[in-house]
Amino acid sequence: MATVDQAAAELQPLLRGTYVDPSARDYDEARALYNAMIDKRPAGIARCADVADVIAAVRYAREHDMRVAVRGGGHNGAGLGSVDGGLVIDLSPMKGVIVDPHTKTARVQAGALLGDVDHATHAFGLAVPAGIISTTGVGGLTVGGGLGHITRRCGLTIDNLLSAEVVLADGTPVAASPDENPDLFWALRGGGGNFGIVTSFEFRCHEVANVIAGPVLYDLDDAAELLAWWREFGPAQPDELGGFFAFLSVPPGPPFPEELHLRKVCGVLWCYCGSEDDPACLREARAFGRPLLDGVGPAPLPALQSAFDAVYPPGDQWYWRGDFVQAIPDAAIERHVEHGAAMPTWKCTMHLYPIDGAASRVAADTTPWAYRDAKWAQVIVGVDSDPANAAAIRQWCIDYWEATHPYSMGGAYVNFMMDEGQERVQATYGGNYQRLAEIKSEYDPENFFRINQNIRPA
Ligand SMILES: Cc1cc2nc3c(=O)[nH]c(=O)nc-3n(C[C@H](O)[C@H](O)[C@H](O)COP(=O)(O)OP(=O)(O)OC[C@H]3O[C@@H](n4cnc5c(N)ncnc54)[C@H](O)[C@@H]3O)c2cc1C
C-alpha cells in the first residue's frame, strides 16, 4: 500500500489531470459527495483528464494494493463513488459530448453529467433517454440502467447504448459492443461498475426536442383515488405519454402559488413526448379529479430534465430505498397513503416511475436488467438539508419501504439502493446474476472493482 506522500509523488507525474490528497487545499471539496450523509476520506483522488490517466490510475492502484472507487457524477445514493482510505478514480474532468446528427448517435465521455448530454443533443433536436435531474452522472446512471421521463417511448438508457470504451481491472483499454467483447458489453448494460471503468459511451439518440409536461397536483385526501386510477390509466396509454406518481411537498418558491407552498400533496408529473400539439391522452389525464394545480405546458426537454435541480442541490442528506413493482393492489395503496402523509421533511418524496412501454419489450436476458415485466420502479426518498434530521428521514424511508416491499417483485433498481447487502443485489439481477458472476470472473477475477453493488466473481 502506498503512503499518502508516495502516491502524490509517484502518481501525479503520470497524470494530465490532478492528484488531490488530504494535504491539498481543495481536498474537502474534491471528496464531497452529492449525498452529504456519506462522509468518506479517500487517501487520494485522481482527477483524470483522459483515458491514459485512467489507465495510469488503475495500474498504480493495483501495484500498490489500493482499494478503488470510480466516480462519475458523484450522485450515487450509497456513496459508491468514493472509498475510505483508497483511491478515487474521478472521471469528472472528462465531459466531452460529440453528436453525429447523420447517424443520430452521441459519443459521451464518462464524466459528463446528464445536463451536458442534453445540452449537446438538444441543439440537434435529439435526446438520449436518461434521468430527471441534470446534475446526475451519465457514468453511474448508465451502468445501472437509466430511467426517466421518456422511458416508455425510448426505453432505458442501456437499451440505447451502442458501444463503450472500457479500462479493465488490469489497466487494459478495450472496446465493448455487440461485435467486440460481447459478454462485457452485455454486463455493462445494467451490471453496475463491476466490470471495468467505462471511459466513453456511444448512445443512440431519439428525435425528442420539446415535450408537453408538468405536474398535476392533488390534495392528500385524494391520494387513494388518484393512485387507483393512475395504476390502470398509465399503462393503457401510448408510449409517448409517461407520468410518474409522487407524494411530495410543494416547493416554497415560484412558479408555485404561495398558498400551496410546503403543503403535502400527491400528484403525477406528466410528460408527453410525441408529435401532437394537443394529445387526447394528456387531455384525459389532466381531466381526472379536482387538481389543486395543473402545471402542464410545452417545454424543451432539457428544461423539464433540470426542473428539480434547484430543489435537490448537492449537499443534502439522502436516504433512499427502491423496489420493482408489477401491481399496486388496494392494500398497497393503503400503505402508500399512510406513509406518504407521514413525510417528515418537505424534500422527502416517493416516486413510482413507469418502466413499461418500450422498456418492457426487451427480453429479460437481453441485458442484466431482469425485471422487464415490472410496470414501475418505486423509490422512497428521505431528503433534508439539516443533518439533525438524518435519523428521521432514514427511519421514515425504512418504515415506508417495509410497509410496501411485500407488494413488490423482490428486487430493486440498483441505482435506487443503499448498502443493503448481497441478497438484495442478487434479488435485483434475478436469473441474470449467475451470468454476471461468470463474466465478472473473466474480466475481474480478483474483484478489484468492488466499491459498487457488488457482483462477486463466480
Ligand atoms: C438527485 C438524484 C436524481 C436521480 N435521478 C435518477 C433518474 O432520474 N434516473 C435514474 O436512472 N437514476 C437516477 N438517479 C440515480 C443515479 O442513477 C445513481 O445515483 C447513479 O449511481 C449516479 O451516477 P453517478 O455517475 O453520478 O454516480 P457516482 O457516485 O459518481 O458513481 C457511482 C458508481 O457508479 C459506477 N460508475 C460511475 N461511473 C462509472 C464508469 N464510467 N464506469 C464504470 N462504473 C462507473 C461506480 O461503481 C460508482 O461507484 C438519481 C440520483 C440522484 C441522487
Side-chain angles (χ1 to χ4, degrees), residues 310-370:
V311 175
Y312 294 115
D316 283 347
Q317 307 282 309
W318 276 72
Y319 191 91
W320 64 9
R321 291 231 173 156
D323 267 318
F324 285 122
V325 178
Q326 198 173 40
I328 309 173
D330 292 347
I333 290 183
E334 279 178 34
R335 306 281 93 76
H336 279 293
V337 170
E338 182 191 336
H339 291 274
M343 292 180 290
T345 65
W346 77 268
K347 290 192 186 188
C348 290
T349 188
M350 191 288 294
H351 295 172
L352 277 159
Y353 297 104
I355 48 170
D356 56 340
S360 66
R361 291 191 291 273
V362 175
D365 61 357
T366 299
T367 69
W369 183 285

Side-chain angles (χ1 to χ4, degrees), residues 33-35 68-82 91 109-114 130-149 156-157 165-166 188 192-201 312 318 320 353 369 413-416 449 451-453:
L33 296 170
Y34 178 84
N35 180 2
V68 154
V70 180
R71 177 179 176 137
H75 259 227
N76 189 273
L80 297 171
S82 188
L91 307 170
Q109 283 191 310
L113 305 181
L114 302 190
I132 67 165
I133 291 195
S134 79
T135 53
T136 308
V138 173
L141 176 132
T142 303
V143 296
L147 56 86
H149 292 297
L156 300 170
T157 308
E165 288 173 349
V166 187
L188 289 176
N194 277 284
F195 305 93
I197 303 179
V198 179
T199 52
S200 74
F201 300 91
Y312 294 115
W318 276 72
W320 64 9
Y353 297 104
W369 183 285
Y413 174 28
V414 273
N415 278 345
F416 289 162
F449 296 115
I451 310 298
N452 44 42
Q453 301 294 353

Side-chain angles (χ1 to χ4, degrees), residues 364-382:
D365 61 357
T366 299
T367 69
W369 183 285
Y371 287 82
R372 295 291 181 169
D373 49 348
K375 286 207 179 93
W376 301 285
Q378 174 179 318
V379 65
I380 303 160
V381 196

Side-chain angles (χ1 to χ4, degrees), residues 249-442:
S249 300
V250 177
F256 298 98
E258 234 175 288
E259 67 274 17
L260 291 184
H261 286 181
L262 297 178
R263 176 162 162 181
K264 284 183 191 176
V265 293
C266 57
V268 180
L269 199 145
W270 294 107
C271 173
Y272 172 78
C273 59
S275 55
E276 292 178 43
D277 292 334
D278 182 21
C281 55
L282 190 56
R283 268 204 313 277
E284 193 182 340
R286 296 166 74 185
F288 176 79
R290 299 163 305 280
L292 296 171
L293 176 146
D294 180 336
V296 174
L301 183 64
L304 174 67
Q305 309 219 120
S306 50
F308 289 104
D309 289 7
V311 175
Y312 294 115
D316 283 347
Q317 307 282 309
W318 276 72
Y319 191 91
W320 64 9
R321 291 231 173 156
D323 267 318
F324 285 122
V325 178
Q326 198 173 40
I328 309 173
D330 292 347
I333 290 183
E334 279 178 34
R335 306 281 93 76
H336 279 293
V337 170
E338 182 191 336
H339 291 274
M343 292 180 290
T345 65
W346 77 268
K347 290 192 186 188
C348 290
T349 188
M350 191 288 294
H351 295 172
L352 277 159
Y353 297 104
I355 48 170
D356 56 340
S360 66
R361 291 191 291 273
V362 175
D365 61 357
T366 299
T367 69
W369 183 285
Y371 287 82
R372 295 291 181 169
D373 49 348
K375 286 207 179 93
W376 301 285
Q378 174 179 318
V379 65
I380 303 160
V381 196
V383 191
D384 197 62
S385 55
D386 186 351
N389 289 326
I393 59 176
R394 183 175 179 277
Q395 197 54 51
W396 167 76
C397 179
I398 291 172
D399 291 346
Y400 192 154
W401 182 82
E402 284 177 351
T404 52
H405 180 65
Y407 303 97
S408 77
M409 298 171 79
Y413 174 28
V414 273
N415 278 345
F416 289 162
M417 281 164 61
M418 300 302 282
D419 189 358
E420 297 169 36
Q422 266 299 299
E423 258 177 48
R424 284 286 279 164
V425 178
Q426 291 202 15
T428 281
Y429 293 112
N432 289 328
Y433 189 85
Q434 186 55 30
R435 183 171 173 199
L436 285 166
E438 283 161 16
I439 297 173
K440 175 83 172 171
S441 67
E442 187 185 340

